[in-house]
Amino acid sequence: MPDILEIKNLTKSFTNKNVVSELSLNIKKGEVYGLIGPNGAGKTTLINMICGLIKPTNGSITMDSQNIYKDNFKFKKLLGVVPQDIALYTALSAKDNLLFWGRMYNLNGEKLKKRVAECLKLVGLDDRANEKISTFSGGMKRRINIAAAILHEPALLIMDEPTVGIDPQSRNHILETIKQLNSKGMSVIYTSHYMEEVEYLCDRIGIIDHGRLIVQGTIEDVILQIGDKSKIIFSLQNNNESAINYIKNNIPNIQEVEDHKLIVNTANVHQTLLNILEVIKDSGESIATIDILSPSLETSFLQITGKSLRD
Amino acid sequence: MKILWLAIKDIKLTFFDWKAVLILVITPLLLVLILGYALAGVFEDKQIIEKFTVAVVLNHPNNESENLIKQVEQHANQYIHLKEMNQEEAKTEVKSGEIPVMVTVSGDLQKADSIVIQHNIKAELQGKITEQVFNQIIQSSRLLGQAYKATGNTNAVPYQKEDHMETEDISETLFIENSSANDGKIVSSFQYYAAGISVMFILLTGMSGLSSIIEEKKLGTYSRIRMTYTSLPSFIIGKWLSTTATCLLQFFILILGTSLIFNISWGNHLGVLFLLMLAYVFAIGGIVIFLTIFIQTETMANIIRGVGVQIMVLLGGSMIPIHTFPEMLQYAAYITPNYWAQNGLLNLMGGRGFSSITVELLVLFCIGLLTFSIGFIRLSKGEEGNLG
C-alpha cells in the first residue's frame, strides 16, 4: 500500500529545546494509524506541524509525494482535522456550524447542503440539525466536531483524542463512524489515551516519547519488539509457609506479591504452566485461583515509556 | 467570498447573543432616555429646580453693571429672583442659607474678575445656574457688541472681555443646550448626548471585536479556520469587516432610534452623516486590528474595554462637554477617534454640511488606514506574528 503521508527527520525546537526530534514515520493509504504517547511527548506539536499550523525547524512532511509547505492549499484539501477542543460556535446551530465550516473549505450551493446533510446523518444528529450546539451533550458536540472535519471528504483525517470525556453511547458511535469512514478508503491518524480504542481501531501504531518515535508497527509487532512476557498469576488453597517456600525454590522467575499471590513471567506459557502444576502437586498444596495475562499494548507502553498512558 | 462568510458568522454570533444586543442597542437608547429626562425641563420649559433668590452686590455701580442686572432680571426671571443688598448683608444671608447665591459685580465690566459668584455649600446647583445665566447674558451681549462694532457703532460694545467672570466653587456649566457647534446652529443637550453616547457605544462595540479574536483563539476555532483553505489575511480582513459592519449597523439603529423615539435631529445631510459614520467605524476597525498585536488575553481585552474605552470616552468629551476641560486635556482629546467623530456629528447636527467635517473625515480615515495597515502587516506574518 503506498504512503499518503511521509514524515522524514522532523525536528521542532522551541527556545533551543527539541520538542520533536528527528522523527520519521509514514501513514499508508487506507489505514488507521494510532499515534500514542504520554502527555508532553510531542504528539500535539507533531499534529500541528502536519496540519501546517507551525513550521518544522528541520525535516520534511510530504503528502501524496508533495511537500506540504510548497502547496499548502492543495494539501489542505486532502486533510481533515478533528481537534481535541470542541472548536465550534456554540451559539449557532449544528447545521449553521457545518455550513460555515463547509464554506471555509470552498464548498457552496447544493453540494454544500448535500454534504452537510450527509455528515449530520453519518454522526447521527440529522434530527438535531437546527438546534444550537450549546444545548448538546459533550458526546454530541464531539460528533459535530467530527462532522465539521469531513465535510470536504479528506483523504487523511487526523483525530486528536476525539472521545475525551464522553458517554459510552457517543464513544461507540464515534468509533463506528471512524470504522465506516475508513471502510470507504479514508486514512486516519488517531490519538487517544484509551488503549482499548487504539487496539480496536488501529492497523498500525507509533509510540512517541520525548519527541522521538520509539517504536512503530502493528500492535502484535510492537508487543513482540518490546519483548514483553505473559504473566501467570496464582494463589494457593492453604497458604502453607513451607509449601510456598518449596514452590518459590523450584519455579524460576517467581515473585510473591500481596495476599499470597504468586506471579511467574514467561515467554512460554504452556511449558511454564505444566511446570507450576507439577511443583504445586509435589509441595502438597492445591491451587485456589489461576490467571494468565497475555502481553498487551498497555503493558508494552508502560515498559517503553515507564508511564501509564493516562499519566 | 470567504471573508464575507467570516464576517457574517461574527455578526450572527453577535446578534444571536441577547446580552450583546442589549448592550449594542437598548443600553445606549436607555442612556439617551435617562439623560433626556434628566434635562427634560430645559426642553419643555419646566423648571428642574424651584425659583430661587440671588443676592446682588453692585460695587461702584455704573450703566454697564446696572444694564447687566436689568438684562438678567428680564431674561431669567423664571429661574431666579434678584435682590440687591450690600456685601456684608449678602454674605450673612448666603452663609446662613437664607439666600443660596450671591453675585458681586464690579463697576468696570471690561476688567478681569469683574463678576464673582459665591454660593452656600449646599447650593451648588443654584450656583451653577446663576453662573450659566450670567454667562449667557454676557455672551449674547458680546455678540451684540460685535454686531454694533461691525456697523461702526463703537460706543455700544458691552462686556468685550471673555475673562470677566470668576466663580467660587464652580468649575463647570450645567446646561449644555446652548453649546454652539463651531459657530453653527446651537445643538440641544439631547443631540449632544445622542452623539456622545453613540460614539461611545460604537467604541465599545469595536472593542468587542478584539475580544472576539481572543475568544476564537481560546475556543480553538481560530486554529481550525487556519487548517481550512482560509488564509490568515482573509481571517484578519473578515474580523475587520465584521467589526466595522457591526459598528455601522449599531450606528444606524442608534440614529434611527434616537430620531424616532426622542425626535433628535442628526442634521440635514444624511449622505455626509453616512460618510462620517463610515470614517469613524473604519478608524475603530483599524484600531481593533492594531490592538490585536498587543492584546493576547481576555484579561487584557477586558482592561482595554473597561478602562481604556472609559478614558477615551471621557477625554473625547462624550460624557462631559470638552470645552469645560483644561486646555491641555482639550489638546489630548485630539488623539481619540471619538472626539473627531463627535465633533463632526455636532457640526452636522448644527446644520452644517460636508465642508464642516472635512478635517474630521481626514483624521478618522488616517487613523483607520494607519492602524489597520500596521496591524494587518504584523499579524499576517502568521506563526511569528501574534496570531500564530
Side-chain angles (χ1 to χ4, degrees):
Chain A
M1 196 88 73
D3 290 339
I4 188 162
L5 184 81
E6 191 175 12
I7 295 168
K8 274 187 184 164
N9 303 320
L10 203 68
T11 299
K12 181 66 190 177
S13 304
F14 291 113
T15 56
N16 296 327
K17 193 190 168 198
N18 282 359
V19 180
V20 172
S21 194
E22 294 285 319
L23 190 145
S24 299
L25 62 82
N26 65 318
I27 313 291
K28 294 182 193 302
K29 271 186 183 166
E31 78 170 341
V32 180
Y33 185 95
L35 191 64
I36 56 177
N39 288 330
K43 294 191 303 287
T44 304
T45 308
L46 176 63
I47 288 174
N48 284 343
M49 284 191 282
I50 299 171
C51 299
L53 283 180
I54 53 173
K55 285 182 181 170
T57 311
N58 270 313
S60 68
I61 303 173
T62 53
M63 202 164 172
D64 256 1
S65 309
Q66 287 181 353
N67 189 319
I68 65 164
Y69 296 104
K70 281 190 181 157
D71 191 350
N72 202 262
F73 278 78
K74 191 178 173 188
F75 130 82
K76 280 180 176 175
K77 197 178 174 183
L78 298 170
L79 185 70
V81 183
V82 181
Q84 194 177 334
D85 300 314
I86 295 165
L88 300 168
Y89 299 102
T90 53
L92 300 182
S93 69
K95 191 177 171 185
D96 281 347
N97 263 282
L98 295 187
L99 286 170
F100 171 76
W101 290 110
R103 284 174 185 128
M104 293 302 105
Y105 280 108
N106 287 354
L107 296 175
N108 49 53
E110 281 308 308
K111 193 182 177 188
L112 173 63
K113 283 182 192 166
K114 190 174 161 241
R115 280 302 295 154
V116 168
E118 282 171 1
C119 291
L120 278 168
K121 199 171 178 189
L122 183 74
V123 297
L125 289 169
D126 44 340
D127 55 334
R128 310 284 299 262
N130 294 315
E131 291 177 32
K132 283 185 180 180
I133 299 287
S134 56
T135 64
F136 283 10
S137 69
M140 287 156 77
K141 284 176 187 169
R142 292 223 167 259
R143 278 145 73 182
I144 295 293
N145 214 24
I146 293 171
I150 54 172
L151 284 161
H152 62 299
E153 298 173 277
L156 175 64
L157 182 66
I158 298 178
M159 307 185 87
D160 193 3
E161 299 187 32
T163 58
V164 169
I166 59 169
D167 56 285
Q169 192 194 356
S170 284
R171 171 173 297 182
N172 285 339
H173 200 290
I174 287 172
L175 297 181
E176 290 316 309
T177 304
I178 297 166
K179 283 267 187 197
Q180 211 177 324
L181 291 169
N182 181 240
S183 70
K184 288 176 185 166
M186 193 181 284
S187 310
V188 179
I189 298 178
Y190 190 86
T191 81
S192 176
H193 276 176
Y194 303 109
M195 281 300 181
E196 62 276 15
E197 287 180 5
V198 175
E199 282 177 308
Y200 175 70
L201 283 175
C202 300
D203 302 307
R204 288 194 310 142
I205 60 159
I207 297 178
I208 296 181
D209 199 16
H210 302 296
R212 292 176 184 276
L213 184 71
I214 309 290
V215 65
Q216 178 179 241
T218 61
I219 292 169
E220 293 75 23
D221 284 347
V222 168
I223 294 167
L224 211 64
Q225 281 178 59
I226 292 161
D228 197 11
K229 292 173 180 174
S230 296
K231 287 179 171 56
I232 302 171
I233 305 165
F234 61 95
S235 59
L236 302 170
Q237 201 78 270
N238 303 315
N239 290 322
N240 181 298
E241 279 301 319
S242 59
I244 289 172
N245 285 334
Y246 178 81
I247 292 166
K248 277 180 174 176
N249 292 332
N250 288 283
I251 300 174
N253 300 322
I254 192 166
Q255 292 171 278
E256 186 178 0
V257 290
E258 57 192 25
D259 298 333
H260 301 288
K261 270 188 180 167
L262 295 156
I263 297 179
V264 182
N265 290 311
T266 176
N268 189 340
V269 176
H270 182 73
Q271 189 55 50
T272 310
L273 196 56
L274 289 174
N275 187 30
I276 289 170
L277 292 172
E278 202 172 310
V279 172
I280 291 172
K281 192 182 168 191
D282 293 346
S283 71
E285 261 283 9
S286 54
I287 290 174
T289 61
I290 187 159
D291 213 353
I292 301 165
L293 294 182
S294 299
S296 68
L297 191 56
E298 183 83 51
T299 55
S300 302
F301 183 85
L302 193 63
Q303 195 164 323
I304 291 175
T305 62
K307 298 165 202 160
S308 164
L309 191 55
R310 292 186 182 87
D311 283 348
Chain B
M1 193 62 185
K2 265 206 287 284
I3 291 170
L4 203 61
W5 287 122
L6 279 161
I8 289 170
K9 177 262 300 171
D10 279 342
I11 294 167
K12 263 186 177 178
L13 285 173
T14 305
F15 283 91
F16 277 7
D17 182 353
W18 67 268
K19 283 180 195 163
V21 174
L22 200 74
I23 293 168
L24 286 177
V25 181
I26 300 171
T27 318
L29 288 177
L30 208 63
L31 213 52
V32 174
L33 181 73
I34 292 164
L35 286 163
Y37 269 118
L39 297 165
V42 177
F43 298 95
E44 295 169 17
D45 288 324
K46 285 178 192 167
Q47 285 182 240
I48 55 173
I49 191 162
E50 281 182 17
K51 192 171 175 178
F52 59 93
T53 303
V54 173
V56 175
V57 181
L58 287 173
N59 287 335
H60 317 294
N62 58 18
N63 281 347
E64 257 185 334
S65 56
E66 280 169 0
N67 189 32
L68 172 68
I69 299 303
K70 225 179 259 176
Q71 283 191 50
V72 171
E73 242 170 357
Q74 192 184 334
H75 294 291
N77 61 358
Q78 59 189 127
Y79 302 114
I80 54 177
H81 163 68
L82 298 181
K83 191 177 178 185
E84 211 174 315
M85 51 182 72
N86 67 42
Q87 186 89 26
E88 286 311 306
E89 233 177 6
K91 270 192 177 169
T92 314
E93 294 283 313
V94 170
K95 272 182 186 171
S96 68
E98 286 296 316
I99 292 177
V101 187
M102 66 179 276
V103 180
T104 309
V105 184
S106 76
D108 187 0
L109 291 179
Q110 308 294 330
K111 285 183 182 172
D113 313 333
S114 54
I115 299 169
V116 175
I117 298 170
Q118 292 164 296
H119 61 80
N120 182 281
I121 197 155
K122 290 177 184 167
E124 195 175 341
L125 186 60
Q126 287 90 336
K128 285 180 180 176
I129 292 171
T130 310
E131 183 202 357
Q132 188 64 26
V133 166
F134 273 79
N135 206 8
Q136 281 176 23
I137 300 290
I138 289 165
Q139 289 294 326
S140 24
S141 299
R142 181 170 63 85
L143 290 172
L144 196 63
Q146 283 169 351
Y148 281 143
K149 202 175 178 182
T151 55
N153 186 358
T154 52
N155 294 327
V157 187
Y159 332 130
Q160 283 188 62
K161 296 191 75 166
E162 288 181 36
D163 53 356
H164 44 219
M165 187 181 283
E166 187 184 76
T167 58
E168 268 183 23
D169 301 319
I170 298 166
S171 57
E172 61 187 68
T173 53
L174 177 68
F175 297 120
I176 322 294
E177 97 273 27
N178 284 326
S179 300
S180 96
N182 291 353
D183 300 330
K185 208 173 93 186
I186 286 166
V187 295
S188 71
S189 59
F190 249 116
Q191 286 176 303
Y192 187 93
Y193 280 116
I197 285 161
S198 295
V199 296
M200 175 177 94
F201 273 86
I202 292 297
L203 198 58
L204 276 169
T205 304
M207 291 309 136
S208 65
L210 182 66
S211 305
S212 135
I213 295 175
I214 292 164
E215 206 182 325
E216 292 240 25
K217 287 167 84 176
K218 194 177 145 195
L219 278 176
T221 46
Y222 164 72
S223 295
R224 189 168 207 163
I225 286 172
R226 283 196 59 200
M227 289 173 201
T228 67
Y229 304 159
T230 315
S231 66
L232 195 50
S234 295
F235 177 78
I236 298 165
I237 297 172
K239 279 289 167 195
W240 172 83
L241 190 64
S242 63
T243 305
T244 51
T246 310
C247 289
L248 204 59
L249 202 61
Q250 188 190 20
F251 222 148
F252 270 124
I253 294 169
L254 288 177
I255 287 174
L256 207 66
T258 50
S259 302
L260 295 175
I261 302 169
F262 309 120
N263 208 18
I264 288 171
S265 163
W266 289 80
N268 307 316
H269 304 86
L270 290 182
V272 184
L273 177 66
F274 180 68
L275 205 62
L276 182 65
M277 283 158 58
L278 271 182
Y280 182 51
V281 298
F282 177 71
I284 299 296
I287 290 170
V288 167
I289 299 299
F290 177 74
L291 286 175
T292 308
I293 301 174
F294 312 101
I295 310 298
Q296 298 288 306
T297 62
E298 229 167 321
T299 316
M300 284 165 82
N302 286 339
I303 290 170
I304 288 290
R305 285 191 71 180
V307 182
V309 169
Q310 288 311 314
I311 290 172
M312 283 169 86
V313 163
L314 284 173
L315 205 57
S318 296
M319 297 305 280
I320 303 163
I322 201 148
H323 66 263
T324 61
F325 288 6
E327 201 174 359
M328 195 185 74
L329 283 181
Q330 289 188 29
Y331 282 120
Y334 292 169
I335 62 163
T336 63
N338 48 311
Y339 163 79
W340 296 100
Q342 188 173 336
N343 221 29
L345 286 173
L346 291 175
N347 281 348
L348 295 179
M349 286 169 154
R352 304 186 74 192
F354 178 78
S355 59
S356 70
I357 61 157
T358 45
V359 176
E360 282 81 1
L361 283 176
L362 193 69
V363 171
L364 289 170
F365 181 72
C366 287
I367 291 174
L369 189 68
L370 189 72
T371 50
F372 179 78
S373 303
I374 296 171
F376 183 77
I377 292 166
R378 183 73 182 82
L379 297 173
S380 295
K381 283 183 180 174
E383 191 182 351
E384 283 74 32
N386 292 45
L387 274 177

